[in-house]
Amino acid sequence: MSESATTAVGSDIERALSTLDAGHVQKTYWEQDEFICLERWLPASLVARMVEEVERVRPRIHRNYIPRHKKGGSVSYYALREQAPTILALYRAPAFIAFLSSLTGRALQPCPETDPHSCALYFYTDPGDHIGFHFDTSYYRGARYTVLVGLIERSSSRLVCQLYRKDPRGRPLVELQLATHPGTLVAFNGDKLWHAITPLGENEERVSLTLEYVTEPSMHPAKRFFSNLKDAFAYFGLRAVFRGAAPTR
Ligand SMILES: [Fe+2]
């Protein structure tokens, strides 16, 4: 990983953290059943460097279409690992992971190197691109947490989140419709938040970064195979998933 990217991201994260009332953010996260949205939180300079990397990997977008569920483009961790040092540095930044661990109350860590979804870009570029309602279900032995970062937002698409869908306390369902502007960060427990992205309009574009963290990085081999198949067909393509995970890379 690039040392200069790591240093620059480290100071960007420290600066962003200094603007937060950590106690208030943590309280809100728990009040919202493990969901938080920090509007335009990451520094513009960091977002600009990540957007440069978005443009660099654009030729590697893999488009996919699953009728009635999702349509859009993705770039996997394996491509980002080769061409996106700032994004990788953010994913692995110790101060960032410490913040997320304190927020969730769990010792989080990045996913293993064999997970194409661990850190990935989603491109909504064609009219109708969207993803239907789903949980970010964990196939790992432990819990999985999702962090979304808005990078390009020139669209009428919205991240729709339903809070308290599985709430044991029976709180009434709350639906939020969010624009993920550049620098906006959303974090949630993947097994709890029911969420979707509404269809893109004509001449619009939306690009977001997804970062996945886990409490226990091991996975039963059968679940790994199923997870890879899902990633191959729904996101990154067979070649990217199965060649990218090969130990020679
Ligand atoms: Fe999701």
Side-chain angles (χ1 to χ4, degrees):
M1 193 160 64
S2 155
E3 206 171 304
S4 59
T6 303
T7 307
V9 166
S11 60
D12 284 326
I13 292 298
E14 294 298 343
R15 191 148 45 97
L17 287 171
S18 71
T19 67
L20 276 191
D21 176 345
H24 176 70
V25 168
Q26 194 176 35
K27 185 165 171 278
T28 308
Y29 175 82
W30 285 100
E31 280 173 0
Q32 297 187 136
D33 198 22
E34 295 206 68
F35 168 84
I36 193 78
C37 176
L38 302 174
E39 276 271 335
R40 302 178 198 263
W41 176 56
L42 291 173
S45 56
L46 171 58
V47 173
R49 299 200 305 282
M50 290 196 286
V51 169
E52 278 174 26
E53 295 177 353
V54 165
E55 297 312 323
R56 197 179 302 158
V57 301
R58 205 179 270 273
R60 299 180 72 168
I61 293 176
H62 182 265
R63 295 274 310 167
N64 47 70
Y65 173 49
I66 299 176
R68 291 201 299 248
H69 180 57
K70 81 186 287 283
K71 182 166 88 74
S74 318
V75 169
S76 79
Y77 171 67
Y78 306 130
L80 296 181
R81 191 169 56 187
E82 290 170 11
Q83 291 186 280
T86 300
I87 289 173
L88 262 286
L90 173 65
Y91 181 49
R92 294 171 179 166
F96 189 56
I97 296 173
F99 160 65
L100 295 168
S101 296
S102 146
L103 181 70
T104 59
R106 307 290 301 271
L108 299 184
Q109 49 187 300
C111 298
E113 286 291 304
T114 49
D115 188 337
H117 223 122
S118 58
C119 167
L121 287 168
Y122 296 153
F123 289 77
Y124 300 78
T125 53
D126 293 5
D129 281 0
H130 74 288
I131 182 160
F133 273 105
H134 63 283
F135 291 106
D136 287 357
T137 306
S138 178
Y139 294 102
Y140 287 90
R141 290 193 166 96
R144 187 170 85 149
Y145 291 80
T146 298
V147 174
L148 300 176
V149 177
L151 293 178
I152 295 173
E153 178 52 287
R154 291 192 287 268
S155 82
S156 54
S157 282
R158 291 293 176 265
L159 168 64
V160 184
C161 302
Q162 291 189 353
L163 309 186
Y164 313 125
R165 177 102 182 173
K166 287 183 178 174
D167 186 27
R169 290 162 57 189
R171 284 173 286 189
L173 200 121
V174 170
E175 184 168 292
L176 306 174
Q177 302 232 359
L178 306 170
T180 48
H181 296 292
T184 292
L185 178 144
V186 170
F188 57 89
N189 180 331
D191 285 321
K192 287 191 173 180
L193 189 76
W194 185 242
H195 59 285
I197 302 287
T198 61
L200 197 80
E202 296 280 343
N203 302 311
E204 294 184 346
E205 184 176 36
R206 177 181 184 279
V207 180
S208 69
L209 171 65
T210 178
L211 310 171
E212 301 286 350
Y213 296 91
V214 290
T215 56
E216 160 57 71
S218 67
M219 192 185 284
H220 188 282
K223 284 194 174 177
R224 167 55 69 203
F225 182 70
F226 178 74
S227 175
N228 276 340
L229 273 185
K230 185 169 78 70
D231 282 343
F233 288 104
Y235 291 94
F236 310 118
L238 276 168
R239 215 160 67 152
V241 169
F242 290 98
R243 285 184 58 185
T248 49
R249 296 287 293 271

